[in-house]
Amino acid sequence: MSTVTAVPIAPVKRAYVLWLWIGLAFALVAGVALAKVGATGIQTTPSGLRYKVLKQGTGPHPTDSDVALVRYEGKLMNGTVFDKSDQPTPLPVARMIPGFTEGLKLMSKGAKYRFWIKPELAYGAEDRGPIPANSTLQFDVELIEFMSEAQIRAMQQMMQQQGAMPGGAMPGGR
């Protein structure tokens, strides 16, 4: 039969315990501060769209009746890119997913934003090819230009009329 001999442990001074608790409290405060620094600049709209301004733009903001010329990259939260524009792409502001529309209307010309669009503002429970159901989407968007759909229609009509002229000549041209 074996026996275990108990060895007394020397008592710990209260000052050491106090310093241990102070160190733990400091580590907790530092961790919270670092987490906030990492999230600095991220804002949330009342609908729940989260965004960060990467570059401020200037001038007015697009409206629902505008078409925006943008460069963008869409990713899933695991980093998988599901869509990317290789060149500036015209997008009708009001005909995008709700979170993208809301984000575009926050931007000015020349701005670059990052959006985090929760499922309720994207595709919800719907599975959309490379985008699984209930996915939060991340978009990096640069707003190059925007104009109203009426302006675009007028420009298209003017271009069609010019194309109908003999030899494709411009009015007043030689």
Side-chain angles (χ1 to χ4, degrees):
M1 177 164 174
S2 72
T3 60
V4 177
T5 305
V7 178
I9 298 175
V12 178
K13 293 183 179 180
R14 285 190 177 191
Y16 293 158
V17 174
L18 177 63
W19 282 111
L20 179 63
W21 281 108
I22 290 172
L24 288 172
F26 178 76
L28 179 64
V29 168
V32 169
L34 285 173
K36 287 194 179 237
V37 167
T40 299
I42 296 176
Q43 300 175 53
T44 305
T45 66
S47 72
L49 172 69
R50 295 179 67 219
Y51 68 96
K52 182 175 185 173
V53 178
L54 304 175
K55 179 183 170 196
Q56 199 65 265
T58 58
H61 306 279
T63 65
D64 283 335
S65 63
D66 291 328
V67 174
L69 188 63
V70 300
R71 282 191 187 95
Y72 68 91
E73 181 176 74
K75 298 180 185 178
L76 300 175
M77 294 310 291
N78 67 7
T80 302
V81 175
F82 61 84
D83 195 10
K84 181 177 182 174
S85 64
D86 293 326
Q87 58 190 18
T89 305
L91 300 174
V93 174
R95 289 186 286 226
M96 305 305 298
I97 58 174
F100 201 92
T101 294
E102 182 179 358
L104 280 175
K105 293 193 291 186
L106 297 170
M107 301 175 75
S108 298
K109 290 179 188 176
K112 291 183 183 179
Y113 279 36
R114 178 167 292 150
F115 305 137
W116 291 272
I117 304 174
K118 63 184 185 174
E120 298 81 9
L121 297 174
Y123 299 109
E126 189 177 336
D127 201 10
R128 299 284 294 215
I131 303 171
N134 298 311
S135 292
T136 296
L137 308 178
Q138 177 184 313
F139 282 95
D140 288 343
V141 181
E142 177 184 7
L143 178 59
I144 298 165
E145 179 67 75
F146 65 90
M147 62 180 64
S148 72
E149 289 183 14
Q151 288 174 305
I152 291 173
R153 278 193 297 274
M155 288 172 53
Q156 288 172 334
Q157 286 178 345
M158 192 167 76
M159 289 173 72
Q160 286 175 346
Q161 290 172 353
Q162 289 174 355
M165 295 184 75
M170 297 285 285
R174 296 177 185 218

